[in-house]
């Protein structure tokens, strides 16, 4: 059983049995709405009482007249409500399961019923359509419009809702999810992620049991610190890279989220995703619209590899800013200097940037604040004037010096936050999120500014705008966000329970303004590591910082997990001093994404510097395959002693295989060949090793020719072993 349902009462089933339902309507006025993508169908059906249910979500049928028959072939127990498969389950009427929406009406009544009223489909282009369905309460003047945006080729659906009413007074929304997905299978397997600083994206796989499992965040900002909203659900058995049906999901929202995964009494799985309603009842005025963020999901029947390749091509094409464009390699000074630098030191680093051969120098934290200089993380945050003793000639002089070195210049900011030891805090204590009557509590010695306040939005916009106005050649921004929200309270907000939501809206408003004025400039999304990564934020950012943990061994695992959801072009990987591995290993790992460095270049031994310079040249020749090609995870470090990841250019003429030893026990290595994927079986390829450390020899014969067929069926041995712990191979068509 792949996926479908039965939620219908015996009565409804009888009706269905008696009337032949065809296409989108029938004599019984049952309305069936099939929503198809290239491989799947999500089928909604309004029954004769206008309850709107999802009757099928699974592989698409050849004949779409047959969808309406789906409910008849299930023999599950009755659902007692006619709502167990509701497309947007209300609460307070008949529903007995977790609702998508809970309200208190203007008259204090807490019941909601939602019935189908109408639907329409708008074609955006050949690949994208938007289905909207109007649901109305038969008693109260309250409606929800559900939206399903389908990306046909990528099998992706974005689902959101717009809630409104025309009641006499305000209505309180107690819960307001984006949407529900219903799945039916013999068993369900959840892959979820947890973490903390430097421990992002730790996977956990478990069999889903009856009841509710909730993935959520209540942190406000840096919302993914302990858990991101992305997850996978495999049907029948845990999916592998190439086999199994698996749903990838996530919420396009950069604040508190909530994903309820409920195995219901009929053994169907309901997944309800949306903004977390924690401490956030929303007061909705008559005629005001509450638009939820999009719940994004993708169903693949050929395992996790296909799912992530589809996710990547969707993200590059439709979500990530300049997702199909180019990126800048860079040298960052964070770990090279921390807060300890001055103009002379930076001039030296600008020269290093040129010597290394990367595109840009990125100046990190510590360049600002005078009354309370930013010489550590305890002071100065919020005071965005250049620190006069470190930078007497300001940023302008650095941008100029960068130009003299033929490199670009970028800068770090954290404009949403403030140290209590700052002029900003002294001047505008009312701009800070804190409980006026309670003791302040700090995260990294700082507090969060109140982005619900338009004056604060202007301030944050101005931080960026001033930098660009004064330095039009500024080429890059790293936008950090280190603190969570404690003591949630806004001095300017009328409804305190709107704070978490309006904060995120305020952030998006600022980012909109920035992008309206500076549409192209690359920006990195950073949050004390990977504390804020999602597809709403990535519409404004070209890349994200996955973690401050840059130990390459840790990164192999972490980047592996991120790669399920985010493409290499958006994943910033820097070579640092973290970890015990040699420089080559660190560079090879960082090359599997957007390459950067955070090391003291002028301290590098000659051979190391030579290696880095050559590796950057190699990267420049391969980066388009890594950024725009298809990713195949071909050897899983969680299951064997090596990790191998393969990037294949779309025309299948070039591919890059990265392999690493992850187990130091005696004799471990690539004992068996690695079976390659995604090549053209009929093409002939040569394989050469690249990123060879000066003075060492490759064990790979670059003259040997292999068919794609051989490489995919028999495989290729990268010859990874204790003496060759990381190996980068370029696979090129012989023509
Ligand atoms: C946290 C970031 O993750 C680091 O890369 C660095 O920018 C520091 N903040 C600076 O304070």
């Amino acid at each position: 059983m792949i996926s479908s349902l039965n939620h219908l009462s015996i009565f409804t089933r009888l009706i269905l049995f008696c009337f032949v339902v065809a296409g989108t309507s029938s004599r019984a006025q049952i309305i069936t709405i099939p929503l198809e993508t290239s491989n799947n169908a999500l089928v909604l059906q309004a029954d004769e009482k206008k309850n709107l249910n999802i009757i099928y979500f699974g592989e698409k049928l050849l004949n779409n007249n047959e969808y309406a028959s789906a409910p008849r072939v299930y023999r599950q127990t009755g659902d007692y409500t006619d709502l167990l498969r509701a497309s947007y389950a209300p609460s307070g009427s008949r529903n007995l399961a977790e609702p998508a929406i809970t309200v208190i009406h203007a008259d204090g009544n807490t019941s909601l019923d939602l019935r189908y009223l109408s639907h329409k489909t708008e074609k955006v282009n050949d690949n994208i359509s938007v289905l909207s369905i109007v649901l109305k309460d038969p008693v109260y003047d309250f409606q929800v419009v559900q939206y399903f945006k389908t990306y046909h080729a990528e099998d992706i659906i974005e689902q959101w809702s717009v809630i409104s009413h025309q009641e006499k007074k305000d209505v309180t929304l107690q819960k307001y999810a984006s949407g529900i997905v219903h799945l039916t299978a013999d068993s369900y397997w959840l892959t979820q992620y947890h973490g903390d600083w430097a421990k992002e994206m730790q996977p956990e796989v478990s069999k889903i049991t009856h009841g509710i499992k909730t993935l959520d965040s209540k942190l406000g900002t840096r919302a993914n610190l302990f858990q991101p909203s992305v997850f996978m659900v495999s049907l029948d058995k845990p999916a592998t890279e190439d086999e199994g049906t698996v749903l990838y999901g996530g919420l396009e929202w950069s604040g508190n989220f909530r994903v309820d995964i409920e195995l219901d009494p009929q053994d169907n799985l309901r997944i309800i995703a949306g903004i977390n309603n924690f401490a956030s009842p929303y007061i909705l005025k008559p005629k005001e619209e509450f638009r939820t963020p999009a719940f994004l999901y993708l169903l693949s029947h050929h395992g996790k590899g296909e799912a992530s390749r589809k996710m990547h091509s969707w993200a590059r094409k439709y979500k990530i800013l300049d997702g199909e464009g180019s990126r800048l390699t860079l040298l960052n000074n964070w770990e090279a200097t921390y807060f300890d630098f001055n103009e002379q030191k930076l001039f030296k680093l600008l020269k290093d940037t040129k010597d290394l051969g990367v595109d840009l120098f990125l100046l990190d934290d510590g360049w600002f604040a005078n009354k309370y200089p930013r010489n550590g993380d305890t002071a100065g945050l919020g005071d965005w004037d250049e620190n006069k003793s470190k930078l007497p000639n300001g940023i302008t002089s650095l941008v100029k010096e960068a130009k003299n070195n033929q490199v670009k210049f970028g800068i770090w900011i954290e404009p949403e936050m403030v140290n209590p030891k700052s002029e900003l805090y002294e001047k505008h204590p009312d701009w800070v999120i804190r409980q006026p009557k309670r003791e302040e509590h700090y995260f990294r010695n700082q507090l969060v500014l109140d982005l619900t306040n338009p004056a604060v939005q202007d301030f944050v916009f101005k931080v960026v705008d001033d930098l660009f106005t004064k330095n039009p050649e500024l080429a890059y921004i790293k936008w950090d966000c280190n603190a969570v929200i404690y003591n949630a309270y806004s001095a300017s907000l009328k409804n305190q329970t709107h704070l978490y939501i309006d904060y995120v809206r305020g952030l998006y408003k600022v980012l909109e303004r920035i992008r309206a004025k500076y549409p192209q400039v690359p920006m990195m999304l950073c949050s004390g590591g990977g504390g804020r990564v999602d597809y709403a934020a990535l519409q404004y950012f070209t890349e994200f910082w996955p973690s401050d943990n840059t130990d390459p061994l840790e990164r192999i695992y972490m980047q592996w997990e991120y790669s399920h959801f985010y493409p290499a072009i958006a994943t910033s990987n820097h070579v640092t001093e973290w970890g015990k591995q040699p420089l080559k290993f660190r560079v090879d790992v960082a090359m599997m994404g957007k390459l950067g460095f955070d090391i003291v270049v002028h301290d590098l031994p000659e051979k190391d510097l030579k290696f880095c310079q050559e590796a950057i040249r190699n990267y420049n020749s391969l980066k388009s395959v890594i950024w725009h090609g298809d990713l195949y995870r071909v050897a899983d470090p969680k299951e064997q002693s090596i990790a191998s990841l393969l990037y294949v250019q779309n025309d299948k003429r070039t591919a890059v295989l990265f392999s690493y030893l992850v187990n130091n026990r005696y004799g471990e290595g690539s004992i068996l060949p690695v079976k390659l994927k995604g090549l053209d079986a009929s093409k002939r390829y040569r394989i050469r090793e690249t990123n060879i450390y000066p003075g060492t020899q490759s064990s790979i014969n670059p003259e040997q020719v292999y068919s794609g067929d051989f490489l995919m069926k028999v495989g290729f041995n990268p010859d990874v072993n204790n003496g060759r712990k990381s190996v980068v191979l370029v696979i090129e068509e012989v023509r």
Side-chain angles (χ1 to χ4, degrees):
M1 208 183 328
I2 299 278
S3 103
S4 178
L5 82 125
N6 177 17
H7 59 288
L8 301 176
S9 68
I10 301 217
F11 173 70
T12 310
R13 276 194 249 163
L14 204 65
I15 298 271
L16 276 169
F17 196 73
C18 295
F19 293 90
V20 179
V21 180
T24 58
S25 66
S26 83
R27 280 166 285 153
Q29 299 202 314
I30 289 171
I31 295 159
T32 305
I33 312 166
L35 195 65
E36 290 186 332
T37 57
S38 64
N39 292 290
N40 296 321
L42 176 85
V43 184
L44 298 115
Q45 192 176 71
D47 65 20
E48 74 288 350
K49 290 181 182 167
K50 302 289 183 254
N51 295 305
L52 185 70
N53 291 295
I54 294 175
I55 61 159
Y56 179 79
F57 184 32
E59 278 187 279
K60 127 171 150 186
L61 302 182
L62 293 175
N63 176 356
N64 76 4
N65 286 337
E66 284 194 299
Y67 290 123
S69 306
R72 269 183 282 159
V73 294
Y74 291 86
R75 295 286 177 270
Q76 294 163 302
T77 55
D79 90 8
Y80 308 107
T81 65
D82 288 350
L83 277 180
L84 206 49
R85 299 284 301 211
S87 75
Y88 199 68
S91 65
S93 50
R94 287 160 293 139
N95 182 23
L96 300 173
E98 181 63 28
I101 181 166
T102 302
V103 306
I104 304 174
H105 292 285
D107 64 3
N109 190 291
T110 55
S111 76
L112 182 67
D113 194 358
L114 291 170
R115 307 284 175 129
Y116 168 89
L117 188 73
S118 63
H119 76 276
K120 64 172 188 232
T121 304
E122 275 172 49
K123 196 170 164 177
V124 177
N125 58 36
D126 282 349
N127 196 41
I128 304 174
S129 297
V130 181
L131 163 71
S132 56
I133 307 178
V134 182
L135 302 171
K136 260 193 167 300
D137 189 309
V139 176
Y140 285 91
D141 204 348
F142 188 99
Q143 79 165 31
V144 174
V145 184
Q146 277 199 283
Y147 290 87
F148 299 82
K149 186 170 186 178
T150 50
Y151 299 80
H152 194 265
E154 296 83 7
D155 285 316
I156 282 190
I157 300 179
E158 288 181 296
Q159 198 181 325
W160 70 93
S161 303
V162 175
I163 306 165
S164 63
H165 70 91
Q166 302 215 28
E167 297 186 21
K168 297 236 154 44
K169 282 194 255 154
D170 297 349
V171 167
T172 305
L173 306 181
Q174 303 271 45
K175 190 175 183 191
Y176 29 79
S178 300
I180 309 185
V181 168
H182 295 270
L183 297 164
T184 297
D186 287 334
S187 60
Y188 310 87
W189 302 82
L190 173 68
T191 304
Q192 63 183 97
Y193 295 91
H194 69 102
D196 200 336
W197 177 77
K199 285 171 82 177
E200 291 85 345
M201 291 300 274
Q202 307 291 318
E204 280 175 318
V205 181
S206 56
K207 186 171 180 184
I208 299 174
T209 53
H210 288 87
I212 299 183
K213 167 94 186 176
T214 298
L215 312 177
D216 82 338
S217 170
K218 303 182 181 79
L219 279 57
T221 43
R222 202 172 170 174
N224 295 359
L225 179 63
F226 301 140
Q227 185 160 64
S229 73
V230 289
F231 65 92
M232 297 174 201
V233 171
S234 299
L235 304 190
D236 299 326
K237 56 179 189 228
T240 64
E241 283 298 318
D242 296 309
E243 283 175 356
T245 297
V246 59
L247 179 103
Y248 275 33
L251 192 71
E252 296 178 28
W253 183 247
S254 313
N256 293 349
F257 61 83
R258 171 172 171 173
V259 182
D260 293 312
I261 300 167
E262 181 173 20
L263 185 56
D264 73 20
Q266 287 187 334
D267 301 336
N268 296 318
L269 193 73
R270 316 147 54 80
I271 304 172
I272 307 180
I275 295 176
N276 198 342
N277 55 344
F278 158 75
S280 301
Y282 196 89
I283 313 300
L284 192 67
K285 296 194 193 80
K287 295 191 184 151
E288 187 189 340
E289 289 190 338
F290 183 93
R291 182 187 160 126
T292 72
F295 171 26
L296 149 78
Y297 51 91
L298 146 71
L299 188 66
S300 158
H301 307 285
H302 300 104
K304 297 189 269 186
E306 180 188 83
S308 51
R309 282 185 292 281
K310 284 187 173 166
M311 190 74 112
H312 295 172
S313 68
W314 170 82
R316 285 189 298 242
K317 208 162 172 187
Y318 301 111
K319 284 286 149 170
I320 297 166
L321 188 83
D322 198 22
E324 294 185 306
S326 189
R327 295 293 184 271
L328 300 167
T329 52
L330 59 82
L331 176 67
N332 186 198
N333 72 312
W334 175 238
E335 294 190 14
T337 65
Y338 292 104
F339 297 94
D340 180 20
F341 56 82
N342 58 27
E343 191 182 66
Q344 279 321 303
K345 224 176 186 179
L346 295 179
F347 277 13
K348 224 168 155 191
L349 295 182
L350 285 165
K351 193 180 159 298
D352 285 351
T353 310
K354 185 189 178 188
D355 290 349
L356 190 62
V358 289
D359 302 318
L360 175 132
F361 175 74
L362 169 60
L363 175 58
D364 215 285
D365 196 354
W367 57 267
F368 49 88
N370 288 293
K371 182 172 174 189
Y372 304 105
R374 181 76 171 166
N375 291 327
D377 63 15
T378 55
L381 196 62
D383 300 345
W384 295 104
D385 291 322
E386 292 101 323
N387 178 281
K388 292 214 167 63
S389 71
K390 284 183 192 171
L391 303 176
N393 305 305
I395 301 293
T396 317
S397 137
L398 298 173
V399 177
K400 207 167 135 214
E401 185 62 12
K403 203 169 178 185
N404 292 339
N405 283 286
Q406 291 118 45
V407 294
K408 292 174 193 281
F409 187 84
I411 203 158
W412 175 98
I413 52 172
E414 191 180 7
E416 299 162 70
M417 311 268 157
V418 64
N419 282 131
K421 214 168 160 193
S422 68
E423 290 184 78
L424 181 70
Y425 182 92
E426 286 173 349
K427 249 202 253 159
H428 296 287
D430 55 323
W431 281 10
V432 177
I433 294 181
R434 61 194 184 115
Q435 286 287 349
K437 294 185 196 150
R438 295 190 192 279
E439 194 189 339
E440 287 179 357
H441 192 72
Y442 307 124
F443 198 108
R444 205 196 188 205
N445 311 304
Q446 63 194 57
L447 292 165
V448 179
L449 292 177
D450 177 9
L451 265 178
T452 70
N453 181 343
V456 176
Q457 292 169 19
D458 288 345
F459 169 81
V460 174
F461 172 74
K462 208 164 167 296
V463 172
V464 179
D465 195 32
D466 281 355
L467 278 169
F468 283 120
T469 309
K470 287 190 207 148
N471 309 287
E473 292 185 67
L474 187 67
Y476 187 91
I477 298 271
K478 174 177 178 182
W479 183 302
D480 208 344
C481 158
N482 283 286
V484 303
I485 293 179
Y486 293 123
N487 286 318
Y489 179 86
S490 157
S492 66
L493 208 57
K494 190 171 151 245
N495 293 311
Q496 290 302 320
T497 58
H498 292 195
L499 177 62
Y500 287 118
I501 297 172
D502 286 353
Y503 183 94
V504 181
R505 289 174 172 172
L507 173 66
Y508 295 158
K509 268 189 201 157
V510 174
L511 291 167
E512 280 295 331
R513 278 171 76 184
I514 292 171
R515 282 312 181 190
K517 196 157 174 193
Y518 308 102
Q520 289 302 333
V521 64
M523 293 211 298
M524 181 205 276
L525 175 61
C526 172
S527 181
R532 180 195 269 170
V533 191
D534 61 83
Y535 277 118
L538 280 173
Q539 295 179 87
Y540 306 102
F541 291 85
T542 47
E543 55 226 62
F544 70 94
W545 183 234
S547 177
D548 280 351
N549 187 340
T550 44
D551 176 327
L553 191 60
E554 293 292 333
R555 272 297 184 115
I556 289 171
Y557 293 88
M558 213 183 264
Q559 290 170 200
W560 180 282
E561 297 305 331
Y562 271 117
S563 81
H564 286 292
F565 303 96
Y566 302 102
I569 193 167
T571 311
S572 296
N573 303 330
H574 292 182
V575 176
T576 72
E577 294 298 333
W578 282 59
K580 295 194 179 76
Q581 290 72 19
L583 183 73
K584 170 175 160 50
F585 195 102
R586 289 182 267 148
V587 173
D588 290 353
V589 172
M591 265 171 72
M592 297 191 299
K594 215 225 80 174
L595 176 66
F597 289 79
D598 197 346
I599 49 174
V600 186
V601 175
H602 52 260
D603 285 352
L604 287 177
E606 201 189 318
K607 274 187 180 174
D608 276 2
L609 178 62
K610 221 173 132 209
F611 170 76
C612 289
Q613 291 165 331
E614 185 59 27
I616 291 161
R617 279 193 288 274
N618 296 336
Y619 182 72
N620 285 336
S621 73
L622 298 171
K623 63 191 181 189
S624 94
V625 182
I626 297 165
W627 294 346
H628 308 123
D630 279 332
L631 169 66
Y632 295 84
R633 290 173 293 259
V634 285
D636 186 344
K638 298 191 293 305
E639 284 165 16
Q640 48 190 290
S641 296
I642 66 161
S644 282
L645 294 99
L646 176 70
Y647 297 81
V648 182
Q649 192 166 287
N650 299 338
D651 62 11
K652 298 177 188 289
R653 281 166 50 181
T654 313
V656 194
L657 179 70
F658 295 90
S659 302
Y660 312 94
L661 184 69
V662 294
N663 181 348
N664 277 334
R665 292 193 66 185
Y666 176 76
E668 288 300 335
S670 52
I671 294 157
L672 298 177
V674 175
K675 286 186 185 154
L676 306 190
K677 293 174 187 170
L679 300 177
D680 182 338
S682 62
K683 281 192 183 356
R684 296 180 328 129
Y685 297 94
R686 274 205 187 95
I687 299 181
R688 65 177 168 88
E689 184 166 353
T690 191
N691 281 10
I692 299 168
Y693 193 79
T696 63
Q697 299 279 315
S698 171
S699 59
I700 306 297
N701 174 6
E703 298 307 324
Q704 176 83 41
V705 175
Y706 302 90
S707 68
D709 186 44
F710 179 92
L711 293 172
M712 293 193 287
K713 287 178 182 159
V714 180
F716 184 81
N717 200 316
D719 197 19
V720 173
N721 55 52
N722 203 28
R724 284 167 53 82
K725 286 188 175 158
S726 73
V727 175
V728 184
L729 300 174
V730 184
I731 299 144
E732 284 157 318
E733 184 190 4
V734 181
R735 296 205 298 153

